[in-house]
Structure formats: structure tokens, C-alpha cells
Amino acid sequence: MRSDFNQKVWSALKLIPRGRVATYKEIARFIGNFKAARAVGQACGRNSKAPRVPCHRVVKSDGSLGGYSGGVNKKIYLLKQEGLKIVKSKIENFKKKKFEFI
DNA sequence: ATAAGGGCACCGC
DNA sequence: CGCGGTGCCCTTA
């Protein structure tokens, strides 16, 4: 619904370069509501807009993939395709792969 | 306007 | 290290 929040989320998502990942919390913080990590995730998956943002590049703060509207395995697949490695449902070298906004 | 749900984060056990 | 409970926020019905 093009709420400011949603739009900001998508903008942040689009800023994530290929092969990098961001956390919901980071995004939330980037937007200004660093407590809205949850809302961020929904904004991504629910994005009412057609150009689906790379929501698969967003993961949980602990490095786990979190969830995905189309299925977690799909998310894993996409991430792997971008050069990321998934081990035990978690991102290898997550700290290094994490893209920092701000 | 209220209620419920949801791709989280953090803390305690 | 895994599980459960709590807190915070946003969207939709």
C-alpha cells in the first residue's frame, strides 16, 4: 500500500548489492524504526508492488535465513546463486557478507 | 476503532 | 545450543 514504511523498506532492499545480505533489524534501523524488524520482513514478503525487491537478501540477525514467501529453500537457492554459502540453514561468514547501510 | 497475524530481536532457563 | 515468552511494529479484515 505504498506506506512510507514499506517504501523505505523496499528502497533499502534495493540498495543491497548482489552477494550481500542484510538483516531485518539493520533495515529497520536504517529506516528509523529499529524496532520494526518484523514489519520490515512483512513489507518485503507482502510487498504489494510488482517489482519484488530482493527480499531473499534479507536474513535474521543471527545469520539464519528466516523465512520467505515462496519457501525458504528457494531463498537458499537464490542466495547460493549469488555466491553465498548456506550451512545448517545459516549463512557462512555472515558477518562478512552482511551489508551495512547507513 | 479493535483484533489478529506475521519472513523478527532479545532475554532467561 | 535450543526452546519459550515478551516486546515492538506494520498491514489487513
Side-chain angles (χ1 to χ4, degrees):
Chain A
M1 286 303 225
R2 290 166 259 216
S3 299
D4 290 336
F5 188 80
N6 268 337
Q7 196 148 45
K8 286 177 183 174
V9 173
W10 304 333
S11 299
L13 256 10
K14 289 175 185 171
L15 296 177
I16 306 173
R18 178 176 164 291
R20 281 269 150 68
V21 293
T23 67
Y24 295 102
K25 190 173 156 219
E26 291 289 318
I27 294 170
R29 182 177 59 162
F30 177 71
I31 295 169
N33 299 306
F34 69 105
K35 302 184 209 85
R38 234 171 157 172
V40 173
Q42 281 204 318
C44 260
R46 293 216 51 145
N47 80 78
S48 323
K49 282 326 213 153
R52 296 200 176 177
V53 244
C55 12
H56 62 271
R57 288 181 194 157
V58 190
V59 296
K60 293 184 54 171
S61 62
D62 64 345
S64 59
L65 297 175
Y68 195 63
S69 301
V72 182
N73 56 346
K74 179 87 174 190
K75 189 169 181 174
I76 295 172
Y77 180 69
L78 290 169
L79 288 171
K80 279 191 166 188
Q81 229 181 162
E82 300 199 348
L84 290 167
K85 296 175 188 172
I86 312 302
V87 181
K88 289 172 171 34
S89 301
K90 289 195 177 176
I91 296 179
E92 186 76 321
N93 302 315
F94 173 61
K95 297 186 295 185
K96 294 183 178 181
K97 300 297 183 182
K98 194 176 63 154
F99 174 71
E100 298 181 35
F101 296 90
I102 312 171

